[in-house]
Amino acid sequence: VTNGGKTTLAKKLQKILPNCDIICQDDFFKPESEVETDQRGFKLYDVLDALYMDEMVKSIRSRMNNPACSCVLTEETQTTCTNPKNTKDVYILIVEGFLLYNYEPLNELWDRRYFLTLPYEECKRRRSTRVYQPADTPGYFDGHVWPMYLKYKNELEENSSNVVYLDGTKPQEELLSQVYNDIVQELTKQRE
């Protein structure tokens, strides 16, 4: 969901997980001139066609094939990703975005799936506090953003399994702890 805390959660996880990198779906938006406009004059940003999804898949696959070159080091990890001695380490790639599970070529890549939710009123309130380029036009949230969220969420629920739904109204530290503990358990399983 828009303004659900995806980027905040991803960045906090990156700070505390070793050998961790992030790819943000927002980095793959097409230029405004290439984004379709509907009959009401709304730019259709909340659809897959507004994104260079093939480029995103290539970027993800590239990082998965060569993770040490893209790893972001943090003070907390105190490791070096380019050191050959670390080749046995597990590298973590967090991919965050709003339409990740509705694009079939990505679905085979996920080890874990998390989906942040917000109720309508909270989502609208948070969205109203953000500044976007281009700016949201009057009625855009109700006329495009929220309906597209519901459409893609329904598709996700019909077609995907193994998704952990997270309540975006919970405190950030609680969400961080829940996801961090889940990732640590997954890493433990992979190392066994």
Side-chain angles (χ1 to χ4, degrees), residues 84-144:
K85 289 185 270 185
N86 288 338
T87 55
K88 292 181 183 176
D89 287 349
V90 174
Y91 292 92
I92 300 167
L93 178 62
I94 298 173
V95 181
E96 68 94 357
F98 66 108
L99 289 175
L100 299 175
Y101 309 136
N102 302 87
Y103 189 66
E104 191 60 36
L106 287 175
N107 284 330
E108 66 190 53
L109 303 177
W110 312 127
D111 289 316
R112 307 297 292 156
R113 299 173 195 228
Y114 303 97
F115 190 92
L116 281 155
T117 63
L118 284 177
Y120 167 84
E121 289 298 331
E122 178 62 14
C123 186
K124 188 170 184 175
R125 184 193 68 73
R126 290 184 188 185
R127 177 88 181 199
S128 71
T129 66
R130 299 273 297 270
V131 178
Y132 290 93
Q133 284 300 334
D136 282 356
T137 56
Y140 187 66
F141 181 84
D142 288 319
H144 177 65

Side-chain angles (χ1 to χ4, degrees), residues 7-149:
T7 304
T8 300
L9 179 59
K11 288 180 178 178
K12 287 184 176 200
L13 285 165
Q14 183 182 33
K15 286 182 179 179
I16 61 174
L17 290 167
N19 301 325
C20 183
D21 198 9
I22 300 174
I23 291 179
C24 299
Q25 190 174 38
D26 286 355
D27 294 339
F28 296 89
F29 271 111
K30 293 177 179 176
E32 184 179 0
S33 62
E34 293 182 37
V35 176
E36 290 186 39
T37 304
D38 73 4
Q39 68 276 11
R40 298 165 293 182
F42 294 144
K43 284 287 190 180
L44 303 179
Y45 281 103
D46 290 64
V47 297
L48 287 167
D49 287 341
L51 298 147
Y52 292 119
M53 292 302 295
D54 290 341
E55 293 302 314
M56 184 177 189
V57 172
K58 287 179 191 173
S59 182
I60 293 168
R61 287 187 186 280
S62 173
R63 297 228 192 136
M64 290 174 74
N65 291 333
N66 196 2
C69 292
S70 63
C71 185
V72 175
L73 300 177
T74 64
E75 291 178 23
E76 289 87 348
T77 60
Q78 298 294 313
T79 62
T80 347
C81 293
T82 55
N83 184 338
K85 289 185 270 185
N86 288 338
T87 55
K88 292 181 183 176
D89 287 349
V90 174
Y91 292 92
I92 300 167
L93 178 62
I94 298 173
V95 181
E96 68 94 357
F98 66 108
L99 289 175
L100 299 175
Y101 309 136
N102 302 87
Y103 189 66
E104 191 60 36
L106 287 175
N107 284 330
E108 66 190 53
L109 303 177
W110 312 127
D111 289 316
R112 307 297 292 156
R113 299 173 195 228
Y114 303 97
F115 190 92
L116 281 155
T117 63
L118 284 177
Y120 167 84
E121 289 298 331
E122 178 62 14
C123 186
K124 188 170 184 175
R125 184 193 68 73
R126 290 184 188 185
R127 177 88 181 199
S128 71
T129 66
R130 299 273 297 270
V131 178
Y132 290 93
Q133 284 300 334
D136 282 356
T137 56
Y140 187 66
F141 181 84
D142 288 319
H144 177 65
V145 174
W146 190 255
M148 289 298 98
Y149 162 69

